[in-house]
């Protein structure tokens, strides 16, 4: 297995859970727009310079706050100690940032929506950052060619104190000490790391390194199907710009290895606490409606959660 280790997978150096496949959430930006050490203040500065929304317009205040929190919860909550940090300047900053979006979508928002313009947001620098859901190397390559039109950089959402990326295992599997048939349980788990399993489940990154390396090799080739004689029939993968088809060249091996290095070093697992989110949703309404300041609301959230 690779070196991914979320907080609830290991304890005291021992591995208690495994997962056969996974996906990763990160943010994606054109390489030409990226600079080392990018901060959230840089994102805000880009918006001020261009007059555009870095993430696009398709969010409500609550949507944007939920997205930002989901990528940066490790900056505000330590699940092992229970310590909260919601009264920090960084949380106030994302509250204030979220407040610039619409309260709710107008009734006709999606009826009149320009999907062609949306597909060109990043190509035309009308938005800066894409929330990227990484399942396979082909998905990443498609995004570069189709959404951005050039090479991109993957990184964590730049919130101070946060890794800014999320590991999402397909399924967590472990064996309870009270299991009545541990051998059968182990047989089931090992079957999920077999050649047959990975043959049928190619839609996410495999956790076995040799299988990930096999996925890289396949990704550097054109897609193909196998005919009745067992021969590979290769075909072009196309996207459309207007009425013009554009072929997507396979990802270069060097780039695929960069992506492998990135996704196998994401350590923050997705966390969702219903009570926590209920409190945040309740209290932020006062700010979004102009009844309280962001700092006041952050202090109330901190007090209630702690």
């Amino acid at each position: 297995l690779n070196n991914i280790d979320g907080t609830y997978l290991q304890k005291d150096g021992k591995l208690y859970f495994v997962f056969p496949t996974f996906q990763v959430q990160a943010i994606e930006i054109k390489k030409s727009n990226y600079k080392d050490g990018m901060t959230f203040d840089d994102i805000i500065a880009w918006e001020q310079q261009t007059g555009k929304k870095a993430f696009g317009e398709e969010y409500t205040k609550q949507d944007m706050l939920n997205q930002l929190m989901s990528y940066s919860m490790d900056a505000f909550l330590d699940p092992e100690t229970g310590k909260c940090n919601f009264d920090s300047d960084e949380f106030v900053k994302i509250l204030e940032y979220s407040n610039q979006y619409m309260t709710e979508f107008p009734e006709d928002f999606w009826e009149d929506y320009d999907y062609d313009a949306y597909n060109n947001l990043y190509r035309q620098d009308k938005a800066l950052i894409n929330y990227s859901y990484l399942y396979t190397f082909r998905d990443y390559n498609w995004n570069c060619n189709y959404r951005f039109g050039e090479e991109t950089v993957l990184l964590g959402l730049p919130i101070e104190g946060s890794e800014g990326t999320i590991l999402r295992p397909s399924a967590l599997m472990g064996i309870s000490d009270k299991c009545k048939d541990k051998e059968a349980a182990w047989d089931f788990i090992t079957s999920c790391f077999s050649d047959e399993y990975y043959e049928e489940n190619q839609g996410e990154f495999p956790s076995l390194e040799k299988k990930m390396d096999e996925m890289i090799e396949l990704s550097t080739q054109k897609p193909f199907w196998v005919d009745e004689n067992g021969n590979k029939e290769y075909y072009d993968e196309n996207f459309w710009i207007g009425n013009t088809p554009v072929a997507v060249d396979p990802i270069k091996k060097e780039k695929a290895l960069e992506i492998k290095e990135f996704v196998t070093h994401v350590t923050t697992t997705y966390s969702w606490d219903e009570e926590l989110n209920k409190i945040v949703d309740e209290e932020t309404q006062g700010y979004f409606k102009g009844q309280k300041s962001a700092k006041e609301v952050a202090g109330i959230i901190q007090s209630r959660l702690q």
Side-chain angles (χ1 to χ4, degrees), residues 26-239:
I27 64 170
E28 192 170 6
I29 185 172
K30 276 185 178 179
K31 192 171 184 177
S32 57
N33 287 331
Y34 173 73
K35 69 176 185 178
D36 288 337
M38 179 172 277
T39 66
F40 204 80
D41 287 335
D42 291 321
I43 295 173
I44 295 171
W46 182 89
E47 292 187 336
Q48 292 171 342
Q49 291 166 5
T50 63
K52 304 181 187 306
K53 297 275 202 306
F55 298 91
E57 302 278 352
E58 295 75 23
Y59 294 95
T60 65
K61 300 175 191 291
Q62 197 66 54
D63 290 339
M64 179 53 65
L65 179 60
N66 290 344
Q67 279 283 68
L68 294 175
M69 283 182 61
S70 71
Y71 276 75
S72 61
M73 188 63 80
D74 53 327
F76 310 118
L77 174 66
D78 184 334
E80 293 189 1
T81 65
K83 182 179 179 182
C84 297
N85 193 31
F86 285 90
D87 56 351
S88 65
D89 290 341
E90 206 68 7
F91 187 70
V92 170
K93 184 184 295 182
I94 70 170
L95 275 177
E96 292 174 340
Y97 180 81
S98 302
N99 196 40
Q100 68 177 312
Y101 288 83
M102 66 185 92
T103 301
E104 59 184 10
F105 291 111
E107 287 186 12
D108 60 351
F109 184 84
W110 298 110
E111 292 177 16
D112 301 329
Y113 192 69
D114 188 342
Y115 289 96
D116 287 335
Y118 173 75
N119 290 333
N120 284 292
L121 276 178
Y122 304 102
R123 283 176 166 271
Q124 299 175 0
D125 289 324
K126 293 181 179 178
L128 180 69
I129 291 170
N130 179 48
Y131 285 118
S132 186
Y133 296 79
L134 301 167
Y135 296 86
T136 69
F137 299 100
R138 288 194 192 279
D139 290 337
Y140 167 80
N141 192 50
W142 175 271
N143 228 21
C144 287
N145 285 274
Y146 177 55
R147 299 296 304 281
F148 287 89
E150 63 179 75
E151 186 178 353
T152 65
V153 174
L154 294 171
L155 65 153
L157 183 71
I159 299 292
E160 187 175 342
S162 171
E163 184 179 2
T165 50
I166 306 171
L167 166 68
R168 302 195 75 141
S170 53
L172 287 173
M173 295 180 286
I175 302 175
S176 167
D177 184 54
K178 297 177 181 179
C179 176
K180 293 181 180 179
D181 193 337
K182 295 183 178 64
E183 185 176 346
W186 181 247
D187 285 345
F188 171 75
I189 289 177
T190 55
S191 75
C192 294
F193 293 87
S194 65
D195 290 343
E196 293 78 13
Y197 180 89
Y198 285 115
E199 184 67 29
E200 295 177 5
N201 295 272
Q202 299 183 24
E204 290 188 321
F205 291 116
S207 295
L208 280 183
E209 187 165 25
K210 71 173 185 176
K211 291 299 179 183
M212 183 172 281
D213 290 340
E214 289 174 11
M215 178 182 275
I216 288 175
E217 290 302 321
L218 283 173
S219 300
T220 60
Q221 306 172 31
K222 282 188 176 183
F224 62 85
W225 57 278
V226 180
D227 67 19
E228 65 275 9
N229 298 315
N231 299 315
K232 293 179 180 178
E233 297 289 341
Y234 292 92
Y235 61 91
D236 284 329
E237 195 173 17
N238 294 319
F239 65 88

Side-chain angles (χ1 to χ4, degrees), residues 6-34:
T7 54
Y8 55 81
L9 306 181
Q10 291 191 25
K11 185 174 177 63
D12 299 329
K14 296 179 181 179
L15 186 66
Y16 287 88
F17 293 98
V18 291
F19 48 93
T21 62
F22 67 97
Q23 60 174 276
V24 163
Q25 290 177 224
I27 64 170
E28 192 170 6
I29 185 172
K30 276 185 178 179
K31 192 171 184 177
S32 57
N33 287 331
Y34 173 73

